[in-house]
Every structure is written in structure tokens, then in C-alpha cells.
Amino acid sequence: MKEKQNKGKIDKGVTLFLSIILVFSILGAVVFSVSRKISTEMSASAVQNLNETLDLIKCTIEAILNKEAEFQQLMAQEIAAAEDPENHIRSYNGSQLMTKVSLIREGDTEGISSTGEVFTEEGLDFSAGGMVNGVAISQSYLNYMGTWAYSMKCPVEKEGEEIATLYVEYIYDSLDRSLPNGFYDKKAMLYIMDAETERLVLKPKGMGQRDAGHLNLQDFYRANDIQEEALLAEASAAIRSGKNIMFEHDIRGKEALNYMWSVNDGTIYLIGYVPITAIQQEGATVNQNIFIVVAVMLIAFFLCCILYYINQRQQNKIRKEQEEEREIHNRQLAEALQAAQMASNSKTTFLSNMSHDIRTPMNAVLGFTMLLERDAGNVDKVREYTRKIKASGEHLLGLINDILDVSKIESGKVVLSVEEFTLNDLVSSVDAIIRPMVRAKEQKFYVEVTGIKHEYLMGDETRVNQVLINLLSNAVKYTPEGGNIWFRIIGLKQRSDQFEHIRIEVEDDGYGMTPEYLKTIFDAFTRAENSTTNKVQGTGLGMAITKNIVELMGGTIDVSSVVDQGSIFRVELEFRIPEEQMDKQFWKKSGISRMLLVDSDVQSGDNIRELMQNLDVTVDTAQSIESAIQLIQENTAARKEYQMILLEGDKLGMDAAQMIGKIKEIAPQAFLLLLQGYEEETTEELQIEETAIMQKPFFVSALKEKIMSLQSGGEEEYGGQEGENSNLEGMYFLAAEDNEINAEILREILLIENAGCEIVENGQMAVERFADSRMGEFDAILMDVQMPVMNGYEATRAIRALEREDAVTIPIIAMTANAFAEDEKEALRAGMNVHLAKPVDVTLLKQIIRQYVQGK
């Protein structure tokens, strides 16, 4: 049964296949017949079009000749009317059509021409009898310019009597401008031939490629291999009788239609050929389109067959595909579930880490508060508990600030504040924070600055400072006591003249990190977990914040580390260089044009020389005291005294005072300055008269400040002043604070310092109270920001706008929990003098109040 069914299917398939072949055979025969018929009709039409085109060119040339004849007859009339015909001829300047005009008086054999030469009819052959509108035309000839030309002559009659003959020479090139620029897509060939001499006098532009040897009709025959005697005889007879002839002949192996077309009753001829392929191009295009249509129909038919076959197969695959889709859908659901679980786990991990890190200091705060209450009478324990509560609170505040910082960075709300800053101020501020931490752990801290060309830069100094503090504080925390920490600022090759390219390196020889931890070091809430580092407190957010800030500034950060050997962080940044940096006038006014550096470190000398080179200050270097003394003596003898001498403090040796004294003796006019590291102790021997000390690393701005200090009479000492004004005794403040607890804390802090305050609940009350106060009643205003009715910014603007003398001068200090750099800028824009973040650092508060109140 199955065999019969299979055989039936095979028979049906064969029948269908034979039917398709038959249909396509009939279709092919019809298409071929139609194509042949179209080709024949299109070829006949193309030949007719060629005849019409040649007739059009013929008519164009004859029209030009007729116009020339008519114009020459008009010229003859003008000459006849002229009093002096010869002068009229001489005044003619020629044109692109008529190259020469000549005149011979009746009865004379010589005449004159417009070119100024004697003219005779000798060389002109009018024997062929060619006429154009009653004007005789000569055979073609080469004129004095080497161009094929022909002349036409007509009589000059005056009062019915012929008085002279006018000759005008025309060049064949003038006909070219009136002929078509090629035909049959520039595949046809066309020449203009003089019938009498059979010379080829013109090949119009665009009419095929010019071939060597086509000088006359015989050359044309020879070049195109037209050698049949019968054909040559027929062509010659047609030319003699002035008739047209067209015949087929192969040109260079290609079938072509040759023509010889009579113009002006056979005086000149159009000769050339058109390739049959060019004539039949339109028919070939039509046939091609027919075949394209047939091919498209065949493709469509086969596509229908294929689609039918595919559809049959698709019916058999539906169930399988549905099962596969269900499987894919289930797999996608599983992946989505897994992603959701991972997100949930990440959230749980984040909350767990945050909860742990917040609860740890909070537990200490609450625990020690309970112990404080129990041991309130034990002064030593109260102090110890208070110190630990303060440390835990500071740690908790740091954690909260880090969490808010990360949140703000990731939400894209952080905006860089690009302002001018100096590397000197940056290094000094970082050193002031890190060095006490280093000393507490008895570590060594090395600061190096090399290769810097510009120390005045444009950037966000606050954010750069934050990056450096994060990196350096980590280095201190994760380096054991007695370890070493290096802080380097290295100038790299500039990518642009407008930017300083800087690499910052922070290196330590501490605990180091494992390769596994290095992969996640810049992720939030990640810390190295081992028995050594677990005891170090940290939020695990510092590196994430650092990386985000570096990338926000367009820089890069990377780290390498080895366990128990240390780590090194590298940050690369580019800072815009301000327009004007050089202060040459200061050095000129200070009379400093030559400096001597005494330092055995060659690189240090190169750095200082590079920093000073644009200030018109020459820097010489000496590697020892002895060579420095010799160099000073030589330059002094040559009247090239040094105005400043820089001495490396750790290179002086035991007899430092003696060496310095010797230098002062031979160079009494020079400023003497000791370059000394922060860790180097200043000995009594070095503290001699007129010898100043400047901390390394070297900066031009720091040197300028030191010189200004020396010129003003020496550095001012502030140590005694600090002790005298360490309290706020007798001062009275106006405070705007809506939180009762914060207000109570502030009042108690000021009472401890023997100062008083009046507290109001919002900004509006602060404005009204200050407006009603006596002049000088309040020493300063302590302003919260987030308050009801009127916030601190609005209150500050309102106070500054009051019409009283102290409204502009009274110090207004922001004391707010808004602790971001943007909040500080907003406070300053509102008119506040300074911004303090809560919780308030009492020591810092006293310093700021002392600075602004006493300054006022």
C-alpha cells in the first residue's frame, strides 16, 4: 500500500515537472520571437534616426554657409558704398568665423587684405563650381595658420557695374561650435571632407577617437580596412555625383554602419561610421528589460513553489517549534529569576554592610553613654568615655558622608568647580592633614614633585584634595608603625600646550592586597578581609568615591600591590593651564636675575631650573658646598653676582654654620634660603641671622611668598597669638536654629567659652532681630540653612540688603548639615562669609570666629 502511495507521489511529481518544463519552453519561444521582432524594428528605426541625424547636421552646415554667403554679400554692398574701399578692408580686424577679408579691383590681378599683405587669387581653386546662394566657394586648403579653410568670393557692384571682387576666408573649425557634441553616446565617428580633394578637413568635437593617418579619404579606407573594389567604386561614383551612400562594414572587428553624406550639393561630405551595437542599443535595452521581467516572473514562480514547499514542512514543525519556544521562555524566566535574586542579594549585602558599619560606631556611642552615666563621678573615666564617643561619632559621620557622596556621584549631581589653584597650596594642605597621622604612627612620609612645568592650574582643587586624602589616609591606615609612605607628583609629556599632564603616585610598604581583592577594590563596600586589616576601621566606600571623582575629571586610576610588600596607586589627570602665569615683573622689581642652587641631586636642579626658566631668572647648580663657594667667587669676579642662594638642608654636614658663614662672607648681597624637608629638624647652628628656611618640595609661588616675607622684615610668628585668643570670652552672637537640641548644644558650647548667644527659630526672626538690634550688639550671626518660614540663604540676602552700616560687614557663618561642596558655594553666593558643616568642630569654629570677628 505504501509502495503504491509512493509510486503515485512520484508519478504526480514527474507529471508536474514535465508540465513546468513545457510551460517554460512555450514561454521561452514566445519571448525569443518577440525579442527578435523588437530587435529588427528597433534596428530599422535606429537607421532611420541616423539618416535624420545626418540630415540635421547637413542642414546645419548648409545654413551656416548660406548665412556666410548672405553676410558676404552685405559686406560687398558696404564696400561698394564706401568712399575708400581699400581703407574699409584694412580696418577689418577679423573674427572667429572670417580670418581674412581681401579685395581685388576689377581688371587687377593683385589686391589688398585685412592682414595688410598683398592678395592674389593664386592658390584658390574655384574650378569645382561650388556655389552657396550665388556665391562661389573654393576647394579646401591649409591657410597661413595651418588650419583647414575655404574662401568664398562675390562681386562688388556699384550702380550696376562690377568694380571689384570680395574674398572672405573661413575656417572649418568655426563649424564645430554649431555641430552636436557627439551622437550615439559618442560612439559614432564623423569627419567633414572636401569632395574635390577628398581631404578630411574637420573632425567635430566628441565625434569618436581621432586616429593617426586619417588625413584624406584613402587614409580613412586604409585605417578602417575598406578594400573591396566594388564598394570603393560605388562610394567614388556617389561622391562624384553628389549622392548619399550608406553601407555595412566591419571596423576593427566590430560590425558598423558606414556613411558618406552629401552637403551643399556634394561640395563637402560627412563621412564616418556608427557601430551596430550603438544603433541597436535601444532594442537591446528593451530586450534586456523583457528578459528581466521574465526572470523576475520565473524567480517569483520558483519562490512560490519554495514557499509552498516550506509551508508544507512548517506544518510538520509547528509542534516542535512550540516546544522549543516553551523551553526558551522557561529559560528566560529562570534567568530573570536569577537576576532578580542577584539584585536582591546585592541589596541585602549593601544593607547588611551599611547596617554593620553604622551599628558598630552607634553601639560604641550608646554603650559609652551608658557607662558615662554610671561613672559620672570618675573624672578619668568620663574623659576616656568622652574621647571614645567622639571618635565613634566622627567615624559614623565619615560613613554617612561617604554614603551620601557615592549616592550623589552615581546620580550625576556632582558638578566640578573649575577654578585656578596652585600645586604648592594643594601639597601644603594635604601635607598638613596627613603628616600628623603619619607622626602618630611613627611612619616616614616623603613628598616629591618632579617634572612640573606649570604650578598654576585650572581644576576642582577640593575634589583633587579629596582624592589625595583618600589615597594617603588609606596608605597610613594600612601601613604598620615605622613604615614608609611616598607621595609623588610627576609631570608627564604634555599632549597639548594648553594642558599640564600630571601623574600622582601614592606608594607604601604596608600590608598590601591580594590579586582577588584588587579586582573589586573600586567597588562600593569592599574591604580587604584578613586578620591584619580587619582591625582597621573603614567604610569600604573611599576607593569607589576616589575612582568616580577621577573619572569625572577625565582621568584614570590604577593600582598594583603585593601582599606584605606594599601598594602603589597611580592617578593620571590633565589640568588646563591659565592664560597668564608668569610674574616676571616681581622678580625684576625684587632685583633677582641669578640664583645658585646647592644640591647634589641633579634632577632636583633640573626641576628648579625648568620652573624658573620663563621668569628671566638664571639658575646655576653646584653639587657641593666647596664647588658652590668656588662658583660664587668666579661669578663675583666676573660681576655676575647671585641675588639668591638656595641650600639643600641635609647636604650641609656637621660644619653647616661655618659653611653658611663662608657663603655669607663672599656673597653678602644674596638672600640665603635653606630647602628643608618636613622631617628634617632645624638645628641651632642653622638658625643664624638672615638665613630663612623653606619647606620642600620647591615651588615658585612658595619661593615668591618667602621673598616677600623677607622683604617685609621676616616671617610673622603666630604662636603667641594662638594662645592669647583661644577663647571667645565676652562675645555675643545671634543664632538662627530651629532644632532645640542643636540650639542647646550651641548655647552650652558658647557658655563654656564664656560667650553668649540669642537663638531664634527661623530666618525671618533672625532678619527682624538683627534689624531691631543696636549697632555692634552682635559680634557675628550663626545661620542654619534649612529652616521654616525663611531659610538661611534667603535670610542672609535679606540681612545684607538692610540699610545699616553693619549689614554688609557683620560676619555670617553657615552652620548646616548640608555638607557638600555645592552647598558651600551656595552659602558663599548668598553672602555668607564661611560654611561649617554639622556636627560642629568646636576648635574650627573658634578659629573661624576669631578670624572673622577680630578681622572685622
Side-chain angles (χ1 to χ4, degrees):
M1 186 68 180
K2 289 183 178 180
E3 291 179 359
K4 289 183 179 180
Q5 289 178 351
N6 293 333
K7 186 176 181 181
K9 290 181 180 180
I10 294 173
D11 291 340
K12 290 181 180 179
V14 172
T15 303
L16 179 61
F17 180 71
L18 293 176
S19 300
I20 292 173
I21 292 177
L22 179 61
V23 170
F24 281 117
S25 299
I26 295 172
L27 180 62
V30 171
V31 170
F32 180 76
S33 175
V34 171
S35 176
R36 287 295 301 273
K37 182 178 180 182
I38 290 175
S39 297
T40 302
E41 292 177 355
M42 294 296 292
S43 296
S45 176
V47 171
Q48 180 63 30
N49 289 338
L50 176 61
N51 290 338
E52 293 174 358
T53 301
L54 293 173
D55 284 337
L56 178 62
I57 296 174
K58 167 188 173 181
C59 293
T60 301
I61 296 174
E62 290 179 346
I64 293 172
L65 295 176
N66 286 327
K67 289 294 182 181
E68 291 174 347
E70 292 175 3
F71 186 74
Q72 187 167 342
Q73 289 173 344
L74 290 174
M75 287 180 62
Q77 295 175 8
E78 290 180 0
I79 292 172
E83 295 181 1
D84 187 355
E86 285 82 2
N87 187 50
H88 187 80
I89 294 296
R90 292 189 188 97
S91 65
Y92 180 73
N93 294 324
S95 67
Q96 293 181 344
L97 300 178
M98 299 180 292
T99 58
K100 184 168 68 175
V101 178
S102 306
L103 183 72
I104 298 179
R105 290 276 189 176
E106 181 68 24
D108 294 340
T109 58
E110 295 182 350
I112 62 170
S113 67
S114 59
T115 58
E117 60 188 12
V118 176
F119 175 78
T120 65
E121 191 176 322
E122 183 180 355
L124 299 178
D125 187 356
F126 292 93
S127 62
M131 301 290 291
V132 178
N133 198 20
V135 177
I137 183 171
S138 71
Q139 293 181 7
S140 303
Y141 59 90
L142 284 172
N143 64 6
Y144 70 96
M145 295 185 295
T147 302
W148 284 104
Y150 60 91
S151 292
M152 299 174 68
K153 70 177 182 178
C154 67
V156 179
E157 297 180 351
K158 186 175 183 179
E159 297 178 356
E161 181 181 354
E162 183 174 336
I163 62 172
T165 303
L166 175 65
Y167 298 83
V168 179
E169 181 181 276
Y170 304 89
I171 59 174
Y172 279 101
D173 287 344
S174 63
L175 300 177
D176 196 10
R177 289 186 292 272
S178 301
L179 298 180
N181 187 12
F183 58 102
Y184 286 100
D185 198 21
K186 297 186 179 181
K187 295 179 180 179
M189 176 71 75
L190 172 66
Y191 286 97
I192 296 179
M193 181 186 74
D194 182 77
E196 185 67 24
T197 61
E198 295 186 348
R199 294 191 181 104
L200 305 182
V201 295
L202 178 65
K203 175 183 171 295
K205 59 181 180 299
M207 297 296 184
Q209 298 178 353
R210 184 180 297 274
D211 297 288
H214 286 200
L215 301 177
N216 53 41
L217 183 59
Q218 297 302 318
D219 293 332
F220 179 82
Y221 287 156
R222 191 163 45 251
N224 295 310
D225 199 24
I226 302 175
Q227 302 297 334
E228 294 85 345
E229 293 183 2
L231 184 59
L232 294 177
E234 183 181 359
S236 297
I239 292 172
R240 285 195 300 272
S241 60
K243 295 181 180 180
N244 301 329
I245 183 173
M246 189 176 292
F247 56 89
E248 291 187 7
H249 190 274
D250 290 349
I251 303 296
R252 299 181 187 86
K254 295 181 180 180
E255 189 176 1
L257 190 63
N258 294 260
Y259 58 84
M260 297 180 178
W261 221 252
S262 171
V263 179
N264 193 37
D265 297 329
T267 58
I268 58 178
Y269 262 82
L270 304 176
I271 71 169
Y273 61 83
V274 181
I276 296 297
T277 54
I279 295 176
Q280 296 178 343
Q281 185 173 359
E282 294 180 359
T285 302
V286 173
N287 288 332
Q288 183 179 1
N289 292 334
I290 292 174
F291 283 118
I292 290 173
V293 171
V294 172
V296 170
M297 291 175 61
L298 291 175
I299 292 171
F301 176 76
F302 280 114
L303 285 176
C304 290
C305 293
I306 292 171
L307 290 174
Y308 176 77
Y309 175 72
I310 292 174
N311 183 57
Q312 292 297 317
R313 295 191 63 183
Q314 286 295 104
Q315 296 299 324
N316 298 327
K317 291 184 177 181
I318 288 177
R319 185 176 303 138
K320 183 178 179 181
E321 289 181 354
Q322 289 177 344
E323 292 176 355
E324 291 177 353
E325 288 179 1
R326 287 195 205 98
E327 184 179 350
I328 293 172
H329 184 64
N330 291 336
R331 186 166 59 249
Q332 290 175 344
L333 288 176
E335 291 175 354
L337 178 61
Q338 185 179 3
Q341 290 174 342
M342 291 176 62
S344 177
N345 292 337
S346 299
K347 179 180 178 182
T348 302
T349 302
F350 173 81
L351 293 175
S352 175
N353 286 331
M354 188 171 63
S355 174
H356 172 270
D357 285 323
I358 290 176
R359 286 177 183 274
T360 299
M362 277 301 298
N363 181 64
V365 171
L366 296 175
F368 284 115
T369 303
M370 182 179 65
L371 295 175
L372 186 64
E373 184 179 8
R374 186 193 67 185
D375 298 324
N378 190 328
V379 177
D380 292 336
K381 287 190 175 182
V382 167
R383 289 177 178 171
E384 181 183 356
Y385 296 158
T386 305
R387 179 178 57 81
K388 292 180 178 179
I389 289 173
K390 181 181 178 183
S392 297
E394 290 176 348
H395 175 61
L396 180 60
L397 179 62
L399 172 63
I400 293 172
N401 286 337
D402 283 349
I403 292 172
L404 294 177
D405 225 349
V406 168
S407 174
K408 198 161 189 179
I409 289 172
E410 292 181 347
S411 64
K413 294 182 180 179
V414 173
V415 179
L416 296 177
S417 175
V418 179
E419 297 176 349
E420 184 173 330
F421 70 95
T422 67
L423 288 178
N424 178 35
D425 292 341
L426 179 67
V427 173
S428 298
S429 62
V430 170
D431 188 273
I433 295 172
I434 299 300
R435 195 163 294 279
M437 300 168 57
V438 170
R439 285 174 178 163
K441 295 187 68 173
E442 298 181 355
Q443 297 167 336
K444 291 186 178 180
F445 184 39
Y446 304 96
V447 181
E448 301 174 8
V449 179
T450 57
I452 297 298
K453 295 182 179 179
H454 306 87
E455 57 181 274
Y456 289 88
L457 303 171
M458 299 294 293
D460 192 332
E461 183 181 7
T462 302
R463 292 297 179 183
V464 177
N465 193 291
Q466 185 178 358
V467 169
L468 297 179
I469 296 299
N470 279 346
L471 295 176
L472 288 167
S473 61
N474 274 354
V476 173
K477 285 191 293 185
Y478 293 101
T479 300
E481 292 186 2
N484 298 283
I485 297 169
W486 293 268
F487 170 35
R488 307 184 188 97
I489 297 181
I490 304 169
L492 302 178
K493 182 179 180 181
Q494 292 178 254
R495 299 190 180 105
S496 168
D497 293 339
Q498 299 177 346
F499 289 87
E500 182 79 12
H501 189 192
I502 290 176
R503 176 187 294 155
I504 298 169
E505 292 185 354
V506 175
E507 184 179 3
D508 64 70
D509 55 1
Y511 305 129
M513 293 171 279
T514 63
E516 292 75 20
Y517 175 64
L518 286 176
K519 297 177 182 178
T520 60
I521 185 174
F522 295 113
D523 297 338
F525 288 108
T526 58
R527 293 180 58 207
E529 299 294 337
N530 59 60
S531 59
T532 304
T533 61
N534 281 346
K535 59 186 178 183
V536 180
Q537 286 189 337
T539 64
L541 293 172
M543 286 299 99
I545 293 172
T546 299
K547 185 174 188 295
N548 283 327
I549 292 175
V550 169
E551 291 178 348
L552 186 65
M553 292 189 292
T556 60
I557 181 172
D558 62 77
V559 58
S560 57
S561 181
V562 178
V563 176
D564 295 330
Q565 294 185 22
S567 307
I568 179 169
F569 288 83
R570 294 182 179 88
V571 176
E572 288 196 16
L573 295 169
E574 285 189 313
F575 296 101
R576 181 176 288 278
I577 302 168
E579 291 288 336
E580 293 293 335
Q581 285 204 23
M582 295 183 295
D583 188 8
K584 297 182 181 180
Q585 199 65 27
F586 169 80
W587 303 94
K588 185 176 180 181
K589 288 181 179 179
S590 300
I592 298 176
S593 60
R594 294 179 59 79
M595 290 172 49
L596 175 62
L597 171 66
V598 184
D599 192 347
S600 59
D601 187 350
V602 177
Q603 185 178 6
S604 175
D606 292 340
N607 290 335
I608 294 176
R609 185 183 294 108
E610 188 169 12
L611 287 171
M612 300 296 295
Q613 65 181 357
N614 294 325
L615 301 172
D616 295 336
V617 178
T618 303
V619 179
D620 293 335
T621 59
Q623 278 70 47
S624 65
I625 293 291
E626 292 76 12
S627 58
I629 291 173
Q630 181 179 356
L631 196 58
I632 293 171
Q633 291 173 338
E634 291 175 356
N635 281 273
T636 301
R639 295 185 179 180
K640 296 180 180 179
E641 293 86 359
Y642 294 109
Q643 293 84 30
M644 173 160 284
I645 300 174
L646 305 180
L647 295 168
E648 179 68 23
D650 60 352
K651 305 294 190 301
L652 296 178
M654 297 299 294
D655 53 350
Q658 182 180 355
M659 291 295 184
I660 293 175
K662 178 66 174 177
I663 291 175
K664 291 295 295 180
E665 182 181 342
I666 62 175
Q669 78 287 346
F671 287 114
L672 195 59
L673 194 61
L674 301 183
L675 291 175
Q676 182 172 287
Y678 286 96
E679 294 297 334
E680 299 167 15
E681 296 295 333
T682 305
T683 63
E684 294 182 1
E685 288 80 8
L686 299 183
Q687 296 176 355
I688 63 177
E689 187 179 356
E690 298 182 11
T691 303
I693 297 174
M694 189 174 79
Q695 301 292 348
K696 293 187 295 185
F698 175 86
F699 287 104
V700 176
S701 57
L703 178 61
K704 179 179 175 181
E705 292 175 3
K706 181 63 66 175
I707 293 173
M708 292 173 64
S709 176
L710 293 173
Q711 290 174 340
S712 64
E715 298 179 281
E716 298 178 5
E717 300 295 335
Y718 297 98
Q721 197 178 58
E722 176 75 21
E724 292 176 10
N725 299 285
S726 59
N727 57 63
L728 308 177
E729 184 176 356
M731 294 186 183
Y732 193 65
F733 304 96
L734 173 62
E737 176 60 70
D738 63 322
N739 186 284
E740 293 182 6
I741 296 177
N742 289 341
E744 183 179 354
I745 293 172
L746 177 61
R747 182 182 287 110
E748 293 300 323
I749 290 175
L750 293 176
L751 284 175
I752 292 172
E753 299 296 327
N754 295 321
C757 71
E758 181 178 337
I759 298 177
V760 294
E761 297 178 358
N762 57 60
Q764 180 65 43
M765 295 176 67
V767 175
E768 293 172 355
R769 180 67 184 87
F770 179 75
D772 295 337
S773 67
R774 302 184 311 275
M775 188 73 69
E777 180 178 351
F778 298 112
D779 292 292
I781 300 176
L782 308 179
M783 185 74 72
D784 190 14
V785 171
Q786 294 185 358
M787 294 183 294
V789 184
M790 179 184 286
N791 65 35
Y793 301 141
E794 295 170 347
T796 300
R797 294 188 184 96
I799 290 172
R800 294 302 189 200
L802 292 175
E803 294 182 358
R804 48 185 291 173
E805 292 182 18
D806 58 347
V808 178
T809 60
I810 187 169
I812 302 179
I813 301 170
M815 296 176 60
T816 173
N818 299 343
F820 290 112
E822 291 78 9
D823 302 317
E824 182 178 356
K825 294 172 190 172
E826 181 63 27
L828 297 178
R829 282 197 295 267
M832 299 181 182
N833 297 84
V834 71
H835 177 278
L836 280 180
K838 293 180 181 178
V840 176
D841 186 330
V842 179
T843 303
L844 182 59
L845 174 62
K846 289 193 292 184
Q847 291 177 357
I848 289 174
I849 290 177
R850 183 169 59 252
Q851 175 185 351
Y852 283 95
V853 173
Q854 293 178 353
K856 181 187 69 171

